[in-house]
Amino acid sequence: MAGDVHYEVFFKKNRKASWALHEARDDRDQAIRLAHSLVAKQKDASVRVTKETFDQEHRKFRSVPVFERGAEMMGAEKEKTGEARLPCLTPDDLAKPHARDTIRRVLTGWLERVQAIPMELLHRPDLVESLEASGTELQHAVQKVAIASASDSDAGVHGYVKQLNELVQKSLARIYKDGRDNRLPEYPKKADFAEIAGEIHKRDRRAYSLRAAMADRLRHEKKYGDKLEALLDMGDNLPADEDARSFALDEVDSYIAEVIAFDAGREALLGKCKDLGETLERLACLFDGDHSADALNLAPSAAKRLARKIKGKEFPACRATIAGCILKDLERPKRLRPSSVRDEVRLARDLASRLVICADSTLPADALIKAFASRSARLLQPEIIDELLRHSRGADEELDRLIALEENLVGESNKQKLAGYIRSTLGSNQADAWYVRGDAKPLERLAKLTSQQAKVLKGGYPERDKLELAASFDAMGMKVVDDSKILNMVEGGDRPALDKATGLLRLATGGALPIGKCSADAQARALRHLKSAVGLSEAQAEDGRPKLRQIQGMLQELTILQTKSA
């Protein structure tokens, strides 16, 4: 007699690596598509998809290969003979945070449909009855946990299935029995939470009792948004006794954290956001406890109420959940601002600045840097760069936009990639046409190159790329100098030699010539005039000494500039 079917995707990175279960899917086509995507990313990788059918008669899974690809086909898997050992042994263990998080992950679809959370499920007989009547939801959840547990042990899946089923049945039996025996405290809709929590704390101090009472109160609220408001009301009405207050506050914090761990619960808290960027703005305000921020003006009232609580350091579990949501959303492939690359870049910078300032053990700075580096990499995709440069009036503006992007990127590899885009743009025919033969005056074009080179030298590019870019701007400057003969014009005429030297050095030190061969050429010409017979004669004259001191000062300044760029 055949039972339920799922498909396991096995992955092997290379010939030396071992086979590992990557993921299990209920749908065959989805499993095969996942296998194709995995093997496409690494040429030495191998994948295999097996159809797993649970045999009810023999209480074990039957495995049949349905798909194989890659450098090495998978050999027959050895039968696992170890003993299954679950971390949860009693119904009370299922109420621990890690176990509740597992329940949330494997029952997300059903829990979101009924707008409930694991804490309610563990304390409400009516919810348990609804879950059992839903069909195969509970059995599928057990299988998912069993598959994941077996992949990291020497025990087979069926061993874990058996243990999990026993644990689930014990838990269900306890909830039903406690309900029949009236051991689950009631919480009428208009009752005072402080009194109920205080009485439970005084009577038995069991978290199970208070959680059951809170679950009974939430039974009257059918939507996550209504549950959040009810829970926040509880948080505003805590017992006066310090111990009872702390006892109640911890449970309210845990309940709200579970609600907002669901995508549907988070949407109920934040409201409908126009894009991922707006979602992250609101989450950042919540994490920082900034209840007066403009970003929360259009959010439901629950968002501002929760921000006030976080500001008062009352809800650490909620803050930790929000931190996890922030990191998860930052790593999503979706754009922050799909309508505008410039707005996206600006928002990413603002978010990074804000979150790094308030980073702590809950939201570590290194995790933030990693997340923003990943998002920075997406900004450098060719289609995004094309959109960024669209409608630029010329190559000079394209370079300005690319250079401005650098301060908004995180990660050395991303800045190295940006340097490649800048080199490519500067070496294009369009750039050559604008800078060398453009309509603007030669000194204006040279000043633009000098300004762009200075920004690159101040940037955070890898040292090698920074020097190469600076040399590229200097090389373009030399083309302008040679084509326009601008330095020859400065040297021309009947002016005194010291004045010619001063004019050349002013160009080199005043931001009109890029640092490198351009400034060195101007410096060499100035020294030639200074050392000429006419120049030496002028330097000895009374009115030549102030000019000489000025020239010496500019030479020192130029030396400093050249040293910094070397």
Side-chain angles (χ1 to χ4, degrees):
M1 174 181 172
D4 291 310
V5 176
H6 69 271
Y7 297 87
E8 295 182 2
V9 181
F10 292 89
F11 180 66
K12 187 172 184 178
K13 291 182 179 180
N14 50 57
R15 291 183 182 275
K16 293 184 179 180
S18 57
W19 285 96
L21 176 64
H22 180 78
E23 196 170 326
R25 295 286 179 92
D26 293 330
D27 184 80
R28 183 179 186 275
D29 291 339
Q30 287 183 4
I32 292 176
R33 281 198 297 271
L34 174 60
H36 274 297
S37 67
L38 289 173
V39 80
K41 293 177 182 177
Q42 292 180 256
K43 65 177 183 179
D44 295 329
S46 301
V47 290
R48 189 189 200 195
V49 179
T50 62
K51 178 181 178 181
E52 304 288 332
T53 305
F54 188 67
D55 189 328
Q56 294 283 3
E57 182 178 350
H58 296 92
R59 305 295 296 172
K60 65 185 296 184
F61 280 92
R62 303 293 183 185
S63 180
V64 178
V66 296
F67 177 82
E68 283 186 321
R69 284 290 186 279
E72 182 180 342
M73 296 306 176
M74 182 176 176
E77 185 180 358
K78 294 181 180 179
E79 184 175 354
K80 295 183 176 182
T81 58
E83 183 182 352
R85 296 180 182 275
L86 287 173
C88 296
L89 301 176
T90 67
D92 285 335
D93 291 334
L94 291 180
K96 293 178 179 179
H98 289 299
R100 297 200 313 268
D101 187 59
T102 299
I103 293 171
R104 176 187 64 81
R105 287 186 283 107
V106 298
L107 283 173
T108 292
W110 183 83
L111 287 168
E112 286 193 334
R113 282 198 300 275
V114 299
Q115 297 279 287
I117 60 176
M119 199 82 87
E120 289 181 90
L121 181 62
L122 294 171
H123 300 88
R124 280 178 54 187
D126 63 308
L127 264 185
V128 171
E129 187 176 355
S130 176
L131 176 59
E132 284 196 296
S134 66
T136 59
E137 292 281 357
L138 186 56
Q139 188 174 0
H140 283 166
V142 167
Q143 289 176 1
K144 289 176 186 176
V145 177
I147 291 168
S149 300
S151 67
D152 296 326
S153 76
D154 59 352
V157 172
H158 68 279
Y160 282 102
V161 169
K162 182 179 179 181
Q163 282 197 14
L164 284 164
N165 279 328
E166 291 174 356
L167 179 59
V168 168
Q169 291 307 314
K170 287 180 184 178
S171 302
L172 299 185
R174 185 179 79 163
I175 296 171
Y176 284 136
K177 187 175 187 306
D178 287 348
R180 287 194 305 269
D181 295 346
N182 295 320
R183 292 180 182 175
L184 301 176
E186 294 183 354
Y187 183 167
K189 190 169 183 178
K190 295 185 178 180
D192 185 81
F193 179 68
E195 291 181 5
I196 290 175
E199 178 62 29
I200 291 173
H201 181 264
K202 182 179 178 180
R203 185 176 67 244
D204 62 12
R205 301 194 179 194
R206 291 176 65 212
Y208 178 78
S209 299
L210 181 57
R211 290 171 178 175
M214 294 170 67
D216 183 64
R217 168 65 183 87
L218 295 183
R219 179 168 53 88
H220 303 288
E221 311 300 342
K222 305 303 181 184
K223 299 291 183 183
Y224 280 139
D226 297 331
K227 291 179 189 287
L228 283 171
E229 292 289 353
L231 289 166
L232 287 165
D233 288 343
M234 295 179 200
D236 290 337
N237 186 23
L238 299 170
D241 178 76
E242 189 62 32
D243 289 342
R245 184 183 188 281
S246 177
F247 171 68
L249 185 61
D250 286 346
E251 298 309 324
V252 174
D253 184 20
S254 297
Y255 258 88
I256 297 177
E258 281 200 1
V259 174
I260 61 180
F262 288 95
D263 289 343
R266 190 162 62 251
E267 184 175 326
L269 174 68
L270 300 177
K272 197 72 175 177
C273 297
K274 64 182 180 182
D275 51 34
L276 181 60
E278 189 169 51
T279 298
L280 278 164
E281 282 184 299
R282 295 182 183 182
L283 286 172
C285 294
L286 284 169
F287 181 79
D288 197 22
D290 189 0
H291 56 84
S292 59
D294 292 341
L296 295 182
N297 284 343
L298 298 178
S301 61
K304 289 189 176 184
R305 294 180 67 186
L306 181 57
R308 287 191 185 94
K309 294 292 185 182
I310 291 175
K311 186 71 173 178
K313 302 186 185 304
E314 289 188 329
F315 284 175
C318 289
R319 191 167 184 267
T321 299
I322 291 168
C325 293
I326 289 172
L327 291 175
K328 180 181 175 183
D329 285 347
L330 283 174
E331 291 169 356
R332 287 185 178 181
K334 292 175 65 176
R335 292 267 301 273
L336 297 181
R337 289 279 190 264
S339 59
S340 170
V341 175
R342 288 188 175 185
D343 289 346
E344 172 144 358
V345 169
R346 192 179 302 113
L347 176 58
R349 181 185 63 230
D350 293 344
L351 284 171
S353 300
R354 176 170 199 160
L355 291 172
V356 167
I357 289 173
C358 60
D360 54 20
S361 58
T362 306
L363 186 62
D366 56 347
L368 276 174
I369 291 171
K370 181 181 177 181
F372 276 106
S374 176
R375 185 151 290 280
S376 294
R378 297 189 196 107
L379 288 175
L380 295 172
Q381 293 173 349
E383 61 270 20
I384 305 297
I385 293 297
D386 288 343
E387 184 180 340
L388 176 68
L389 302 183
R390 194 175 299 152
H391 306 307
S392 297
R393 289 169 293 186
D396 62 319
E397 188 174 338
E398 288 185 356
L399 285 167
D400 282 339
R401 293 185 184 184
L402 288 171
I403 292 169
L405 183 59
E406 182 271 330
E407 65 179 6
N408 300 291
L409 297 180
V410 177
E412 186 175 274
S413 60
N414 292 325
K415 299 199 175 192
Q416 185 176 27
K417 188 171 182 179
L418 175 63
Y421 280 115
I422 294 174
R423 276 194 296 270
S424 176
T425 303
L426 188 59
S428 66
N429 292 331
Q430 293 88 338
D432 201 73
W434 194 93
Y435 287 104
V436 180
R437 300 179 297 278
D439 295 333
K441 295 179 180 179
L443 281 178
E444 292 177 352
R445 287 178 267 139
L446 284 167
K448 171 62 86 171
L449 283 168
T450 307
S451 172
Q452 291 170 335
Q453 185 195 53
K455 290 176 182 177
V456 166
L457 289 171
K458 288 180 181 178
Y461 303 90
E463 196 61 26
R464 180 178 176 180
D465 291 283
K466 182 184 291 188
L467 295 178
E468 287 181 358
L469 286 174
S472 297
F473 281 103
D474 179 47
M476 181 64 79
M478 281 303 298
K479 287 185 179 181
V480 179
V481 168
D482 292 341
D483 184 79
S484 64
K485 311 297 183 185
I486 188 68
L487 296 185
N488 292 345
M489 295 179 190
V490 175
E491 289 183 295
D494 298 328
R495 292 186 302 156
L498 293 185
D499 289 350
K500 293 179 180 178
T502 301
L504 289 166
L505 291 174
R506 278 178 178 162
L507 291 178
T509 59
L513 291 176
I515 299 299
K517 292 182 179 179
C518 289
S519 59
D521 187 11
Q523 181 184 27
R525 292 173 186 243
L527 289 174
R528 189 163 61 247
H529 286 292
L530 185 61
K531 293 177 181 180
S532 67
V534 177
L536 292 173
S537 175
E538 291 177 4
Q540 293 174 358
E542 188 68 27
D543 61 345
R545 291 175 184 174
K547 295 181 180 178
L548 184 60
R549 285 194 295 271
Q550 184 181 15
I551 290 171
Q552 289 173 336
M554 287 191 288
L555 285 171
Q556 291 175 351
E557 183 181 350
L558 184 56
T559 300
I560 293 171
L561 289 172
Q562 291 171 335
T563 301
K564 286 182 178 180
S565 65

